[in-house]
Amino acid sequence: MDFLNIFWVFIVALSIVTEAVTTQLVSIWFMVGGLFALIFSLFGLSFFIQVSVFVLVSVIMLILIRPFIKNILKFKIQKTNFDRLIGEIALVTEKIDNLEEKGTVNIAGMDWSARSLTGENIQSGERVQIDSISGVKLIVHKI
């Protein structure tokens, strides 16, 4: 097996490993291009032709098949119903201080981390309205 055959086998193997460790389709196109280039290498064609076949097949795969596969693998955002908390009133159970990154509110019997929308400190016992949710923190303002 000559150097070019080993090179194309390496490219194919690297593409397979890269595809296996990622969650998106990032290298499958190069694997197919590498396979075609390996076939051309086995027939003893020049390196320039092999590289041209690799690039051409990879680009064709990317252009023609990627949109089709992306449509099949379309990920949908799962609603969790936590957005129903927006606009609700909550009770501050631990002082909200954005600078110290502290603060807790209680709503519907559940404690949530909270931050002030305006940056103002909000004391324990105050009532707040929920403006939005950022990650697992409620963004609130004093009412």
Side-chain angles (χ1 to χ4, degrees):
M1 190 177 248
D2 72 352
F3 172 76
L4 290 177
N5 294 346
I6 294 171
F7 174 76
W8 292 116
V9 168
F10 174 76
I11 294 294
V12 170
L14 181 66
S15 297
I16 290 171
V17 169
T18 302
E19 194 64 47
V21 298
T22 60
T23 59
Q24 297 289 324
L25 298 171
V26 294
S27 65
I28 193 168
W29 333 110
F30 304 119
M31 180 191 67
V32 175
L35 283 173
F36 274 85
L38 176 61
I39 292 168
F40 278 65
S41 174
L42 292 172
F43 284 113
L45 297 172
S46 74
F47 183 68
F48 176 76
I49 291 174
Q50 294 170 35
V51 170
S52 299
V53 166
F54 172 76
V55 170
L56 184 66
V57 170
S58 297
V59 168
I60 289 172
M61 290 288 295
L62 186 64
I63 292 171
L64 295 180
I65 297 176
R66 186 171 190 265
F68 174 72
I69 291 178
K70 288 285 265 185
N71 205 17
I72 290 173
L73 298 177
K74 186 179 274 185
F75 296 102
K76 296 177 184 164
I77 295 175
Q78 183 72 27
K79 290 248 180 196
T80 61
N81 290 330
F82 285 121
D83 55 341
R84 68 179 168 77
L85 296 176
I86 296 173
E88 296 291 321
I89 306 299
L91 179 66
V92 178
T93 56
E94 178 189 352
K95 177 184 171 185
I96 298 174
D97 187 335
N98 289 3
L99 294 177
E100 292 183 18
E101 297 184 359
K102 292 183 179 180
T104 307
V105 298
N106 186 290
I107 182 165
M110 295 181 61
D111 288 329
W112 285 76
S113 294
R115 297 296 176 266
S116 171
L117 176 68
T118 60
E120 69 178 312
N121 291 344
I122 305 174
Q123 300 301 319
S124 180
E126 300 262 1
R127 291 172 21 118
V128 293
Q129 185 171 19
I130 301 166
D131 293 304
S132 63
I133 301 174
S134 176
V136 294
K137 293 180 180 67
L138 301 178
I139 309 301
V140 300
H141 71 274
K142 184 166 55 170
I143 54 172

